[in-house]
Amino acid sequence: MKTPTLYIVIPCYNEEKVLPISQEIFLEELTLLISKNKITNDSKVLFVNDGSKDKTWEIICDLAKKDSHFIGISQSRNRGHQNAVLAGLMEAKDKCDITISIDCDGQDDVKVMEQMVDEYMNGADVVYGVRDNRDTDTFFKRNTAVMFYKLINALGGEVVENHADYRLMSTRALNAFSEFKEVNLFLRGLVPLVGFKSANVYYKRNERLAGDTHYPLSKMFYLAFDGITSLSVKPLNMITVFGVIVSLISFVLMIWAFITQLMGHTVAGWASMTCIVCFLGGIQLISIGVIGMYIGKIYMEVKARPRYIISERTEDNNPEN
């Protein structure tokens, strides 16, 4: 197999504090892989500006002018992390043999990129970067993450545990993945559906180099619910089953109440009745909410709006690249 050309795809949103630090790490690793003849000299670091409001895009343009191994694209507006990763992958797939997507914050260990390339050379089209532990997470985040992976796999989703969006994909895998037209993106659940031979490499996750995380608790919960509803319809089936169970229990209670009334043993109990009504009302609202999430996804899919729009490329400002 010939030496592959690698594009490292890095989504960026308001990363002016960490980008000047992490870009050195990415370039150093890229240069090292080139020197070892693991990848060709045409390999690039591709930054994807996700509609940043700070100087992220200006920094990317400056980097591209200083070193030809840096290139960048900018989305017309903020579309979210998953869409930014997709934009970078689709931009790169016709220009290289393999891509590695990784976050800009420096938490993912770039040293395992060499292992990823080796796995590709051994025949893997997809190589997942998997955390070997969660020691850097809080107790709450660590346990909720474990619950999420167990839940989503139980509901039928094929998700690699402790894997986020640090992965290698070959051009063959990307071409197949480009046939997936979902507007609601959950990449870590969609990529396994492509198939092909895959492998895992394990690494220890570091602390963020600088700046603040763009994934607070609220966004993490939203991503989890979005992933579950994007990959499985089992929640809808569970609502149906639960509705049948509650209906059967209610029917039994109705018979019991009727018999009790005939025997003259009824006791007025507004508190118990209120509890039952509130309980059933809560179940109904939750059920309507879950169904509403699926309807909302159908609404977005039917519209088929563009998943990303690229407004600028560093090549436009730097013809030498």
Side-chain angles (χ1 to χ4, degrees), residues 7 48 99 125 161 181 190 214 270:
Y7 271 46
V48 183
T99 64
D125 283 290
E161 189 170 347
K181 303 301 183 182
L190 289 176
H214 299 303
W270 65 269

Side-chain angles (χ1 to χ4, degrees), residues 2-6 37-40 43 97-98 117 120-121:
K2 70 181 182 69
T3 303
T5 298
L6 165 67
N37 201 33
K38 296 283 186 178
I39 58 177
T40 68
S43 299
D97 301 301
I98 52 176
V117 175
Y120 165 74
M121 297 299 288

Side-chain angles (χ1 to χ4, degrees), residues 228-285:
I228 292 170
T229 53
S230 294
L231 298 174
S232 174
V233 296
K234 282 192 176 181
L236 294 176
N237 298 333
M238 292 169 63
I239 288 174
T240 303
V241 172
F242 190 74
V244 171
I245 293 173
V246 172
S247 297
L248 291 174
I249 293 174
S250 300
F251 181 72
V252 173
L253 290 175
M254 286 174 59
I255 295 175
W256 173 80
F258 180 72
I259 294 174
T260 304
Q261 175 69 28
L262 292 178
M263 296 176 64
H265 295 156
T266 55
V267 178
W270 65 269
S272 58
M273 182 60 67
T274 301
C275 290
I276 294 172
V277 170
C278 290
F279 172 74
L280 292 177
I283 295 299
Q284 290 172 341
L285 290 175

Side-chain angles (χ1 to χ4, degrees), residues 6 8 25 29 32-33 36 38 100-102 107-120 127-132 166-168 199-206:
L6 165 67
I8 302 175
I25 298 174
E29 184 62 22
L32 178 62
L33 292 175
K36 290 184 176 183
K38 296 283 186 178
I100 294 179
S101 56
I102 186 172
Q107 289 187 282
D108 297 319
D109 186 7
V110 298
K111 297 300 180 183
V112 300
M113 286 187 182
E114 184 172 349
Q115 297 179 44
M116 289 182 168
V117 175
D118 289 340
E119 291 290 350
Y120 165 74
V127 184
Y128 300 102
V130 182
R131 296 176 62 173
D132 59 6
Y166 186 19
R167 73 178 72 86
L168 177 148
N200 296 344
V201 298
Y202 298 88
Y203 68 96
K204 183 177 181 180
R205 191 168 170 85
N206 304 311

Side-chain angles (χ1 to χ4, degrees), residues 85-258:
V85 174
L86 178 69
L89 294 177
M90 294 300 102
E91 178 78 6
K93 73 181 179 68
D94 296 325
K95 302 176 182 178
C96 63
D97 301 301
I98 52 176
T99 64
I100 294 179
S101 56
I102 186 172
D103 287 341
C104 185
D105 54 21
Q107 289 187 282
D108 297 319
D109 186 7
V110 298
K111 297 300 180 183
V112 300
M113 286 187 182
E114 184 172 349
Q115 297 179 44
M116 289 182 168
V117 175
D118 289 340
E119 291 290 350
Y120 165 74
M121 297 299 288
N122 289 330
D125 283 290
V126 181
V127 184
Y128 300 102
V130 182
R131 296 176 62 173
D132 59 6
N133 64 69
R134 287 186 167 270
D135 294 341
T136 58
D137 290 348
T138 62
F139 175 83
F140 178 78
K141 184 176 180 180
R142 181 165 56 250
N143 285 277
T144 52
V146 172
M147 290 174 58
F148 165 70
Y149 285 113
K150 290 186 181 300
L151 177 61
I152 200 168
N153 282 302
L155 292 176
E158 298 180 30
V159 178
V160 178
E161 189 170 347
N162 290 327
H163 161 71
D165 288 300
Y166 186 19
R167 73 178 72 86
L168 177 148
M169 295 184 71
S170 69
T171 298
R172 184 166 78 133
L174 287 173
N175 285 331
F177 186 68
S178 66
E179 299 298 318
F180 287 64
K181 303 301 183 182
E182 281 94 334
V183 173
N184 301 283
L185 292 173
F186 185 65
L187 296 179
R188 70 189 70 174
L190 289 176
V191 171
L193 298 179
V194 175
F196 299 131
K197 182 180 178 180
S198 65
N200 296 344
V201 298
Y202 298 88
Y203 68 96
K204 183 177 181 180
R205 191 168 170 85
N206 304 311
E207 296 289 343
R208 185 180 175 88
L209 292 176
D212 299 321
T213 178
H214 299 303
Y215 260 90
L217 186 62
S218 58
K219 280 192 175 182
M220 290 179 62
F221 274 118
Y222 177 80
L223 182 64
F225 285 121
D226 193 46
I228 292 170
T229 53
S230 294
L231 298 174
S232 174
V233 296
K234 282 192 176 181
L236 294 176
N237 298 333
M238 292 169 63
I239 288 174
T240 303
V241 172
F242 190 74
V244 171
I245 293 173
V246 172
S247 297
L248 291 174
I249 293 174
S250 300
F251 181 72
V252 173
L253 290 175
M254 286 174 59
I255 295 175
W256 173 80
F258 180 72

